[in-house]
Amino acid sequence: MDKIKGYIDHLIFRNSDNGYTVMVVNHEGEELTCVGTFPVITEGELIEATGHYTEHAVYGTQFQIQKLEIKDPEDTAAIERYLGSGVIKGIGIALAARIVRKFKEDTFRIMEEEPERLAEVKGISEKKAREISEQVSEKRDMRKAMIFLQQYGISNTLGAKIYKQYGARLYAVIQDNPYQMADDINGVGFQIADEIASKVGIHTDSDFRVRSGILHVLTRIALEGHVYLPKMELLARTVELLGVSQELVEKHIMDLAVERRLILKEQEGQICVYGINAYYTELNTAKMLHDLNISCKIDEKKISRRMDKLGKHSGYELDELQKEAVVTAAGHGLLVLTGGPGTGKTTTINAMIDYFDSEGLEVRLAAPTGRAAKRMQEATGCEAQTIHRMLEISGAADEEEGPKQFERNEENPLEADVIIVDEMSMVDIYLMHALLKAVTVGTRLILVGDRDQLPSVGPGSVLKDIIESECFPVVCLTHIFRQEGGSDIVLNAHKINKGEHIVMDNKSRDFFFLKREDANVIISVALTLIQKKLPSYVDADPYDIQVLTPMRKGLLGVERLNTIFQQYLNPPSPEKNEKDTGRCKLREGDKVMQTRNNYQMEWEVRGKYGIPVDKGCGVFNGDMGIIREINTYAEMVTVEFDECRFAEYSFKELEELELAYALTVHKAQGSEYPAVILPLLNGPRMLMNRNLLYTAVTRARSCVTIVGSPYAVNQMIDNKYEQIRYTSLRQRICEFVL
């Protein structure tokens, strides 16, 4: 091991998340580039480090630090250099020189023990002297805290949040009740708190642990789409998580309910347990829906005649149900328009836009995802946005704070007379709540979607619950227009939805079945389709052809398929940088998907020569893109998403990305692809069902190819099983009617 000693001249790069730093150290009178990971580091500090010299292919000789110790400055020159580096706000080079000239080697002791004496220096008032002293103490305390937190595996970014929240109290919090951090600080969940608690010796049946475990379970159920849990299921899950008695968990459920941190509600013969936020989100959503549901007097015949005239001018003809939808939208504040593929939902939306435009009303269009919004815009010729963008995400947003992350709300509502939202089956309860908060009473809200699609990735079954409440106007389109144009995708989708077996004789132009019974053969066929057959057939890039599968695990699961497809569609090359994330290997040129909502992620649209022409915040669960650059030196990955949006991820944020050559059907909701390939053999009954196959088939615009077993396809069609979602928006809506 080599050892160096010197002061930090300047920082070249620092990743604030993981502490990775590239800096120049003045060592024995020469500048030396040093790299390493440190909790807190500042220019001007004197360090003593051990490590070894390395030779970087691009940046030359570097010193790789393995152990670093911050030393107090040893002489007046070092003290002056440290203070003059800008580390203390308000002290520049000249003032640092005056302070050191006055107090010499005693400078730091004066700052900490007799800060009032700093006022003896010209240019420093008593107030400024106190501020300087506080900063010196703060920096020393923070370094001590970060080193303390690091032993528990807490990152620098999270450590800074903890220190900001508690200050010197953090030591007591961690020793007495680390679970408090899960309540107070975003980013410290139950698992982190529990690991810390085990290290400090807190008992497994601690009251703090049981309460935090209950709340953790009720938070995690959102990932399964639930809004609440039946009490008996909550008890079982919490007992399994904590390894404590059911009686102890039940006692704390009741205590939390008394404290109004949980809501217990009896419905349909059982006690249901809600987190406080989830319960009131559903309740307020129901109330706002009722508030919007106002009607006005209209001349239906006059509107129908006008629609005939507008239709002739625009080139469409409406059937009776489509006319009914336009008339209902004109006369009501809230309308649900539903129907399967090819039933004319888009034509009806266009007719509504034409009618409201003719009335001089402002119409805004939105959809849950960027791809869905793009499709809506292409189909209507009018601007369409994601719901998130329409609601104007705040860059300082926080995913766990629900609707607070949006600039548009009840105090700053959307300015529109009519709002039409497509792909409503994808909208979860929290996004719906945020949308309704921004819609004023008197604005017409039209919700469009297919109730038979898979439910939203997030919690709730909003569209289904609204329809089943039977409290609002609903128009269900049934006539299949696209079938008349010869689309077997539409025909087979409706057959699947009705539980009818489909014809797999390959006489179709857009729906094919290739019988294969071996998983590896199926993968080989899929690769041939992507690379050679389908791109020219549907006039698309191979990356636009999407493989969809029911499962994540298994021989035909997403994880295995992506590893294999990456090897063939984007093979390794000396010219492509890579990064192993632990879950998968990412490579420049890879097709990737964002796996969680990140409201703070900044993006920019780049024009000619890479010059930014637009920017914003927010990359969302389901957004797909291509990795354009992996910068191993700066530890950053650049991804280009739809609409030329470029976002930069630190290496620590790569857990939000996964390969997307193959997707689960659930992740493909709201998207449409030129061609879809479905590899189907066997799998869990809960996944291999009719609802999933129907959703998968309807993701294709021009071509569906099923590769696999006809038995598996027919089994899916016969299997009506749908996973239970614990939601109660329907009940909350009906309560307002009674």
Side-chain angles (χ1 to χ4, degrees):
M1 278 292 179
D2 297 306
K3 183 176 284 189
I4 66 166
K5 188 174 183 178
Y7 68 87
I8 300 171
D9 185 83
H10 64 278
L11 304 181
I12 297 174
F13 171 79
R14 179 164 173 79
N15 186 319
S16 60
D17 289 330
N18 57 22
Y20 177 79
T21 305
V22 181
M23 61 188 178
V24 173
V25 174
N26 192 308
H27 171 57
E28 297 179 350
E30 295 186 359
E31 291 188 346
L32 175 64
T33 301
C34 298
V35 296
T37 301
F38 324 110
V40 182
I41 203 80
T42 308
E43 291 179 358
E45 289 184 313
L46 180 67
I47 65 167
E48 190 171 274
T50 55
H52 59 273
Y53 289 92
T54 61
E55 200 67 29
H56 193 280
V58 178
Y59 302 104
T61 301
Q62 296 181 340
F63 189 76
Q64 187 77 43
I65 295 175
Q66 294 187 339
K67 184 180 178 182
L68 179 140
E69 188 177 350
I70 307 292
K71 297 286 188 180
D72 287 331
E74 296 175 338
D75 53 38
T76 55
I79 295 172
E80 183 178 328
R81 186 184 304 113
Y82 174 74
L83 292 177
S85 68
V87 66
I88 305 296
K89 188 178 178 182
I91 299 181
I93 296 174
L95 186 53
R98 292 202 296 273
I99 293 171
V100 175
R101 196 160 50 241
K102 174 72 175 175
F103 300 113
K104 300 182 173 57
E105 289 86 353
D106 212 22
T107 296
F108 282 119
R109 188 193 67 77
I110 294 291
M111 284 181 164
E112 291 182 7
E113 299 176 13
E114 302 177 75
E116 67 278 357
R117 289 193 58 195
L118 288 172
E120 297 173 15
V121 178
K122 183 182 177 183
I124 299 180
S125 63
E126 290 185 9
K127 180 182 177 184
K128 189 169 185 176
R130 287 193 299 271
E131 290 174 352
I132 291 171
S133 175
E134 288 170 1
Q135 285 188 66
V136 171
S137 298
E138 171 86 5
K139 290 190 178 298
R140 198 160 274 193
D141 290 346
M142 186 171 183
R143 178 179 290 117
K144 180 183 174 186
M146 297 293 272
I147 293 171
F148 171 77
L149 293 171
Q150 199 173 46
Q151 67 184 306
Y152 297 107
I154 295 174
S155 70
N156 294 326
T157 302
L158 194 52
K161 285 184 180 181
I162 294 171
Y163 183 79
K164 183 179 179 182
Q165 177 75 24
Y166 300 119
R169 286 181 52 232
L170 73 86
Y171 303 99
V173 169
I174 284 178
Q175 294 295 329
D176 299 336
N177 177 21
Y179 299 101
Q180 183 180 339
M181 294 190 296
D183 291 338
D184 296 341
I185 303 169
N186 177 41
V188 180
F190 173 80
Q191 301 291 1
I192 292 176
D194 205 36
E195 287 174 17
I196 294 172
S198 67
K199 289 177 181 178
V200 300
I202 291 175
H203 292 299
T204 57
D205 62 353
S206 155
D207 289 351
F208 296 131
R209 182 170 186 263
V210 177
R211 291 162 66 91
S212 185
I214 293 166
L215 296 172
H216 171 69
V217 170
L218 284 174
T219 300
R220 297 290 295 176
I221 62 170
L223 299 176
E224 302 171 41
H226 303 313
V227 175
Y228 69 87
L229 278 182
K231 183 182 173 186
M232 294 310 296
E233 188 167 338
L234 174 60
L235 283 169
R237 290 192 185 206
T238 309
V239 167
E240 183 181 0
L241 172 71
L242 303 178
V244 297
S245 71
Q246 181 172 312
E247 292 75 21
L248 184 61
V249 175
E250 188 160 20
K251 171 189 176 298
H252 284 291
I253 288 175
M254 300 311 296
D255 289 346
L256 287 166
V258 170
E259 295 170 21
R260 300 291 291 175
R261 298 192 66 187
L262 299 180
I263 297 291
L264 272 59
K265 194 168 182 70
E266 185 174 356
Q267 54 195 38
E268 298 179 355
Q270 63 181 351
I271 300 296
C272 303
V273 187
Y274 298 78
I276 195 79
N277 184 42
Y279 177 78
Y280 283 107
T281 297
E282 270 199 340
L283 185 66
N284 292 333
T285 297
K287 182 182 184 305
M288 289 187 287
L289 285 167
H290 274 287
D291 290 345
L292 286 175
N293 189 31
I294 56 177
S295 57
C296 58
K297 285 187 176 182
I298 55 171
D299 187 334
E300 295 186 12
K301 291 182 178 179
K302 182 179 178 182
I303 294 174
S304 183
R305 287 195 298 271
R306 182 180 296 181
M307 290 317 305
D308 289 338
K309 186 176 180 181
L310 290 169
K312 286 179 182 178
H313 182 265
S314 299
Y316 56 76
E317 185 176 343
L318 304 181
D319 69 9
E320 290 307 310
L321 280 174
Q322 290 174 310
K323 286 183 181 178
E324 180 188 335
V326 178
V327 169
T328 307
H332 292 81
L334 182 66
L335 168 68
V336 177
L337 176 65
T338 186
T343 55
K345 294 191 296 294
T346 299
T347 301
T348 309
I349 291 172
N350 279 322
M352 289 176 178
I353 294 170
D354 285 348
Y355 172 74
F356 289 124
D357 277 347
S358 72
E359 290 288 298
L361 301 179
E362 182 181 352
V363 181
R364 296 192 68 169
L365 308 180
T369 66
R371 283 179 170 245
K374 185 178 180 182
R375 275 203 297 141
M376 194 180 191
Q377 184 164 314
E378 289 170 351
T380 62
C382 302
E383 182 186 3
Q385 298 174 294
T386 62
I387 299 172
H388 297 87
R389 198 165 187 193
M390 183 174 72
L391 295 179
E392 298 175 17
I393 305 162
S394 165
D398 193 321
E399 181 177 7
E400 293 191 4
E401 292 191 10
K404 292 181 184 176
Q405 72 260 356
F406 298 111
E407 297 291 341
R408 292 289 183 174
N409 49 43
E410 64 270 46
E411 296 175 0
N412 182 30
L414 292 166
E415 297 169 2
D417 300 302
V418 182
I419 297 172
I420 304 176
V421 182
D422 199 7
E423 294 288 358
M424 270 298 302
S425 62
M426 296 181 65
V427 176
D428 65 39
I429 189 64
Y430 292 109
L431 185 57
M432 187 64 185
H433 184 262
L435 172 65
L436 292 173
K437 286 183 71 175
V439 179
T440 55
V441 175
T443 300
R444 291 176 174 86
L445 180 62
I446 300 163
L447 309 176
V448 185
D450 182 350
R451 62 171 290 172
D452 294 317
Q453 297 282 354
L454 288 171
S456 58
V457 174
S461 296
V462 174
L463 180 63
K464 187 176 180 182
D465 282 353
I466 291 173
I467 293 171
E468 290 184 354
S469 73
E470 299 181 350
C471 293
F472 307 110
V474 176
V475 176
C476 181
L477 302 178
T478 56
H479 181 72
I480 305 172
F481 291 93
R482 262 197 280 170
Q483 182 182 340
E484 295 166 359
S487 170
D488 287 315
I489 295 175
V490 173
L491 174 64
N492 287 334
H494 283 276
K495 280 188 172 182
I496 291 166
N497 202 29
K498 294 174 184 176
E500 300 174 9
H501 288 191
I502 57 177
V503 176
M504 294 182 272
D505 59 6
N506 286 331
K507 293 181 179 179
S508 169
R509 291 177 299 172
D510 61 5
F511 201 104
F512 303 101
F513 177 80
L514 304 178
K515 183 179 178 180
R516 304 290 188 276
E517 301 288 351
D518 180 88
N520 291 330
V521 173
I522 290 172
I523 294 170
S524 177
V525 170
L527 278 167
T528 301
L529 290 170
I530 294 169
Q531 292 177 304
K532 299 177 181 179
K533 302 292 185 182
L534 288 177
S536 58
Y537 190 73
V538 296
D539 190 24
D541 187 272
Y543 271 25
D544 292 329
I545 296 163
Q546 191 60 55
V547 176
L548 301 180
T549 178
M551 301 156 291
R552 289 200 61 83
K553 306 287 186 181
L555 293 176
L556 292 176
V558 161
E559 293 176 8
R560 182 170 186 253
L561 289 176
N562 274 322
T563 302
I564 296 171
F565 289 159
Q566 180 192 46
Q567 188 69 21
Y568 286 92
L569 299 176
N570 187 32
S573 161
E575 298 174 357
K576 298 176 186 176
N577 287 330
E578 297 180 352
K579 171 61 181 173
D580 195 331
T581 67
R583 291 191 309 164
C584 65
K585 185 174 287 184
L586 296 179
R587 183 177 298 137
E588 289 176 342
D590 272 337
K591 182 179 178 181
V592 292
M593 171 178 273
Q594 174 78 8
T595 60
R596 61 177 287 268
N597 289 339
N598 187 331
Y599 298 100
Q600 289 127 318
M601 176 68 72
E602 296 180 357
W603 52 261
E604 61 183 24
V605 176
R606 297 176 184 174
K608 196 174 182 181
Y609 308 116
I611 298 172
V613 295
D614 190 15
K615 62 181 180 179
C617 289
V619 181
F620 305 107
N621 190 355
D623 284 356
M624 291 175 62
I626 305 291
I627 295 178
R628 296 304 183 193
E629 181 184 11
I630 297 178
N631 188 328
T632 54
Y633 185 69
E635 296 197 334
M636 300 295 287
V637 173
T638 303
V639 179
E640 181 182 0
F641 289 100
D642 290 340
E643 300 171 329
C644 300
R645 293 177 299 134
F646 288 81
E648 294 191 341
Y649 292 73
S650 68
F651 276 8
K652 187 179 178 184
E653 293 172 313
L654 293 182
E655 62 187 22
E656 298 182 12
L657 292 175
E658 64 180 30
L659 295 172
Y661 300 101
L663 301 176
T664 61
V665 178
H666 229 126
K667 285 288 188 181
Q669 282 177 275
S671 297
E672 187 179 74
Y673 311 97
V676 165
I677 300 170
L678 304 176
L680 298 175
L681 274 178
N682 49 14
R685 179 173 170 77
M686 62 184 293
L687 291 176
M688 305 290 284
N689 60 48
R690 181 187 303 173
N691 189 217
L692 187 138
L693 181 60
Y694 172 74
T695 301
V697 166
T698 56
R699 298 307 90 209
R701 181 168 62 248
S702 302
C703 182
V704 171
T705 305
I706 299 176
V707 187
S709 161
Y711 177 73
V713 175
N714 289 331
Q715 261 199 329
M716 290 183 78
I717 294 171
D718 294 339
N719 181 11
K720 295 192 294 182
Y721 172 85
E722 289 185 39
Q723 192 170 1
I724 294 172
R725 281 202 168 199
Y726 295 121
T727 74
S728 50
L729 179 61
R730 177 178 62 82
Q731 289 91 329
R732 300 291 86 81
I733 290 171
C734 292
E735 286 172 357
F736 279 96
V737 177
L738 298 176

